Amino acid sequence: MVSGSPYFRVSFFFFVLGCSVCGSLAGDPYVFYDWTVSYLTTSPLGDKQQVIGINGQFPGPILNITTNWNVVVNVKNDLDEPLLLTWNGIQHRKNSWQDGVSGTNCPIPAGWNWTYEFQVKDQIGSFFYFPSLNFQRAAGGYGGIIINNRDVIPLPFGMPDGDITIFISDWYTKSHKGLRKDVENGVDLGVPDGILINGLGPYRYDQALVKDGIVYQIINVEPGKTYRFRVHNVGISTSLNFRIQNHNLLLVETEGSYTVQQNYSNMDIHVGQSYSFLVTMDQNASSDYYIVASPRFVNSFDWAKLNGVSILHYSNSPGLATGPLPDPPNVYDTYFSMNQARSIRWNVSAGAARPNPQGSFKYGDITVTDVYVILNRPAELIDGKRRTTLNGISYLPPSTPLKLAQQFKILGVYKLDFPNKLMNRPPKLDTSLINGTFKGFMEIIFQNNDTRVQSYHLDGYAFFVVGMDFGVWTENSRGTYNKWDGVARSTTQVFPGAWTAILVSLDNAGIWNIRAQNLDSWYLGQEAYVSVVNPEVDNSEVPLPENSIYCGILSSLQKDQAQRVNFSGSTSISGSSKTVVFMLMVALIGHSFR
């Protein structure tokens, strides 16, 4: 998906409109989006199936914005079940009301709309959004987020000639409701039906493996030019290896951090992770080239035949891509993958959201105030049902979101007693939160006792990935930590039988979700929340939104939908501003017919 699309041009109009009429709301620009989330019928693997799209698009539209902009997204839920959208990697500074997960928001009921309003404060980089409830991500509903540098802060590389977003994902032809029921009944997800690239199936690189008639992605490029590829693994359970035939991937950024620039022939991208690469079109274009996403750490024949394949097409290419796909790494070589992950370093000399270099925040010199060793295990029976756990606790979502319970001081909804290590007791269902210290510095060690790669995400923050290794973490493991240029990101992988250590500065007040990105693990209970409360009155912390939806214990506060929602939930526009809006619309329409 390329940023020069018609949707981006419409979005830019809304940016202009926002700048013209919302100056009284804040000094930073506003952008407005109006989205309808609905079911679509499409055929990514050749047979018709129902997917979740936004404004008739699958994948959904790209939010192309700039540091510190205010984003207003009015979401209409045209599904037949409740909906929330979450913004993977967006920090929502002092505003967890907009996080879009069950612990912060009541769901948007079917047929209703709700308006998200948040600022991308002090952020740059490549992210994505997706539906966070009811296993809906397995049906789509995802899209990209691009946060550009402000003009006053130069990129740490030359301006690319184009910007291309790529979504890679495992894919099942069974509906998300069917998959959800299977997981609830203890049935494993099993082998996916395919690997999609930008919502499309594979190019027919092998007539025995890929049936005829599947629509595939073609990326058109010009010889000699350099493009920025933003690649997101938006799948539900499969680590994928990404590569472009005969082209190097120059890694420049991951999840909001500029990296030390290194060339890779391929990159393992785990569930929920995002990377951006510079790719130069430096080949002779004797034919088109394969773009490949293939599953990792699986060894059966059914998995081996699954490849997502798109086409890189030079404008001067004389013919189609033919022959074998470019080789992946050894399919089950976790040592290769771990060493690759360790090689990703923070570019400490680059400016990003602020003019000062990223490395001016010397995280290695900060004293740790809290340590949590968080251990996961394979799914197990709790009260007769198959559940997943963190430190022996399977998260039990309350009917009243945690953030609302905190706001209204409702007792008994949750407890601030999440253990800092696995306790010697049977696993249990509970609503147990991590009690974070505001402006503390927390060390979290994820210990993976499962048999497959898990990836973990923390909302509200970017954390520093300072170490990973096989075996059991001990205090002596700290001697291997990278205390200078470990990359800051929001999702990290943890290999089976291994650990990953992160450090995070708890400077963002709110209640923040920490979760497995693998959707089956998350759905069955592998999540928690971190409560970070500023003990002093902070007038800059965003208050309860006027358009909040109420549920659970607070259901009686809910107003009728018609009384509650205006377009974008924004301040009404004055008469003179309406004239400006009308003139802008006339000018835009006139320009489009030239």
Side-chain angles (χ1 to χ4, degrees):
M1 301 182 72
V2 183
S3 297
S5 66
Y7 190 87
F8 176 70
R9 291 194 292 272
V10 172
S11 301
F12 183 74
F13 162 70
F14 282 117
F15 157 62
V16 175
L17 185 151
C19 288
S20 301
V21 303
C22 295
S24 62
L25 299 181
D28 294 305
Y30 273 68
V31 286
F32 296 90
Y33 296 87
D34 203 21
W35 288 358
T36 298
V37 182
S38 64
Y39 294 118
L40 308 174
T41 299
T42 186
S43 308
L45 294 176
D47 298 317
K48 288 185 178 180
Q49 67 176 111
Q50 191 179 76
V51 304
I52 295 175
I54 299 177
N55 291 353
Q57 300 178 44
F58 169 68
I62 293 174
L63 290 177
N64 195 324
I65 50 186
T66 296
T67 300
N68 294 344
W69 282 14
N70 297 281
V71 181
V72 183
V73 186
N74 184 40
V75 176
K76 171 71 180 301
N77 178 13
D78 266 0
L79 304 179
D80 57 357
E81 57 187 8
L83 168 75
L84 283 173
L85 293 179
T86 192
W87 318 87
N88 205 65
I90 302 304
Q91 294 176 14
H92 301 294
R93 302 292 302 175
K94 302 181 181 181
N95 189 13
S96 57
W97 298 112
Q98 307 297 321
D99 202 24
V101 288
S102 68
T104 58
N105 299 85
C106 292
I108 307 168
W112 285 37
N113 67 317
W114 193 72
T115 302
Y116 292 88
E117 184 170 349
F118 56 88
Q119 185 180 28
V120 288
K121 181 70 174 173
D122 292 336
Q123 286 194 263
I124 57 93
S126 309
F127 310 95
F128 64 94
Y129 59 85
F130 66 89
S132 64
L133 301 179
N134 298 319
F135 229 77
Q136 291 164 355
R137 194 174 86 212
Y142 52 76
I145 304 172
I146 296 171
I147 307 180
N148 302 289
N149 280 37
R150 291 178 291 161
D151 289 340
V152 296
I153 302 176
L155 291 169
F157 45 82
M159 179 65 70
D161 296 297
D163 203 303
I164 298 166
T165 294
I166 292 183
F167 304 104
I168 57 177
S169 66
D170 51 10
W171 189 256
Y172 295 80
T173 55
K174 182 178 283 191
S175 72
H176 75 279
K177 295 177 183 177
L179 292 171
R180 182 173 74 206
K181 186 175 181 180
D182 284 349
V183 169
E184 288 172 347
N185 291 333
V187 178
D188 286 332
L189 289 172
V191 179
D193 296 294
I195 305 295
L196 303 190
I197 298 181
N198 283 352
L200 299 174
Y203 169 76
R204 201 177 189 197
Y205 67 96
D206 186 318
Q207 294 190 3
L209 296 177
V210 182
K211 65 183 180 182
D212 194 17
I214 293 178
V215 178
Y216 56 89
Q217 176 81 60
I218 300 175
I219 304 292
N220 294 305
V221 295
E222 294 295 326
K225 293 189 179 296
T226 296
Y227 297 82
R228 184 171 180 174
F229 282 71
R230 302 176 190 260
V231 188
H232 311 273
N233 185 339
V234 294
I236 64 173
S237 66
T238 307
S239 297
L240 297 170
N241 181 264
F242 178 80
R243 55 200 184 275
I244 302 177
Q245 185 180 28
N246 292 0
H247 290 75
N248 284 322
L249 308 173
L250 181 64
L251 179 65
V252 294
E253 177 259 334
T254 179
E255 298 166 21
S257 288
Y258 290 123
T259 64
V260 173
Q261 295 174 23
Q262 301 179 78
N263 275 311
Y264 296 87
S265 58
N266 61 79
M267 177 63 69
D268 285 343
I269 305 179
H270 304 276
V271 177
Q273 291 188 327
S274 301
Y275 289 93
S276 63
F277 308 96
L278 296 183
V279 183
T280 300
M281 304 304 136
D282 55 4
Q283 299 300 298
N284 59 17
S286 56
S287 66
D288 291 341
Y289 298 93
Y290 295 125
I291 301 173
V292 182
S294 58
R296 293 286 279 136
F297 320 122
V298 291
N299 54 15
S300 72
F301 174 77
D302 289 337
W303 281 91
K305 66 184 181 182
L306 295 178
N307 289 293
V309 183
S310 293
I311 293 299
L312 185 73
H313 174 73
Y314 282 53
S315 60
N316 62 342
S317 170
L320 299 174
T322 58
L325 300 178
D327 290 333
N330 183 293
V331 71
Y332 208 80
D333 189 351
T334 52
Y335 287 90
F336 167 88
S337 190
M338 181 179 286
N339 286 331
Q340 184 183 70
R342 288 167 170 164
S343 73
I344 299 169
R345 302 295 177 122
W346 208 29
N347 184 341
V348 296
S349 63
R354 296 182 177 185
N356 52 301
Q358 292 180 146
S360 61
F361 184 78
K362 295 179 171 55
Y363 69 87
D365 295 337
I366 302 174
T367 301
V368 169
T369 57
D370 303 278
V371 180
Y372 281 79
V373 180
I374 299 180
L375 182 141
N376 79 311
R377 295 187 295 218
E380 53 197 314
L381 289 179
I382 302 178
D383 297 339
K385 291 190 176 182
R386 189 167 179 258
R387 301 286 298 185
T388 57
T389 61
L390 295 174
N391 280 359
I393 295 176
S394 186
Y395 181 74
L396 183 64
S399 61
T400 306
L402 309 170
K403 184 67 176 171
L404 280 174
Q406 182 189 67
Q407 172 74 21
F408 287 88
K409 297 180 172 59
I410 301 171
L411 300 178
V413 173
Y414 63 86
K415 294 175 286 187
L416 292 170
D417 64 351
F418 189 89
N420 62 5
K421 61 182 178 181
L422 180 67
M423 306 298 286
N424 184 21
R425 63 189 183 193
K428 64 176 182 176
L429 295 167
D430 208 349
T431 309
S432 180
L433 277 60
I434 295 173
N435 191 6
T437 303
F438 181 64
K439 292 191 177 179
F441 200 59
M442 184 176 287
E443 177 184 13
I444 300 176
I445 299 95
F446 295 105
Q447 181 76 55
N448 184 2
N449 281 16
D450 204 343
T451 57
R452 58 179 181 150
V453 178
Q454 295 282 348
S455 50
Y456 290 96
H457 176 88
L458 176 60
D459 285 348
Y461 297 96
F463 51 69
F464 298 95
V465 182
V466 294
M468 59 178 68
D469 205 350
F470 293 99
V472 176
W473 181 89
T474 68
E475 293 191 4
N476 291 333
S477 302
R478 292 191 178 108
T480 68
Y481 284 6
N482 176 357
K483 295 189 175 182
W484 168 238
D485 61 357
V487 72
R489 62 187 313 163
S490 59
T491 301
T492 187
Q493 68 272 54
V494 191
F495 294 94
W499 57 267
T500 296
I502 65 171
L503 297 174
V504 57
S505 176
L506 300 181
D507 60 351
N508 190 15
I511 289 181
W512 303 107
N513 187 229
I514 184 169
R515 62 177 177 265
Q517 292 279 46
N518 299 46
L519 192 54
D520 52 342
S521 298
W522 181 11
Y523 186 76
L524 291 177
Q526 208 169 98
E527 67 173 318
Y529 283 81
V530 183
S531 175
V532 182
V533 176
N534 186 347
E536 301 177 359
V537 176
D538 184 358
N539 292 326
S540 66
E541 190 169 338
V542 177
L544 174 73
E546 291 183 3
N547 67 339
S548 288
I549 297 174
Y550 296 96
C551 55
I553 297 171
L554 299 170
S555 295
S556 61
L557 299 179
Q558 182 56 51
K559 297 178 182 178
D560 181 73
Q561 170 80 168
Q563 297 175 302
R564 195 181 50 79
V565 176
N566 294 315
F567 171 73
S568 298
S570 59
T571 304
S572 60
I573 301 172
S574 66
S576 60
S577 295
K578 288 179 181 176
T579 303
V580 174
V581 174
F582 176 76
M583 294 173 65
L584 279 167
M585 292 179 70
V586 170
L588 180 72
I589 293 168
H591 179 75
S592 66
F593 283 99
R594 288 182 183 175

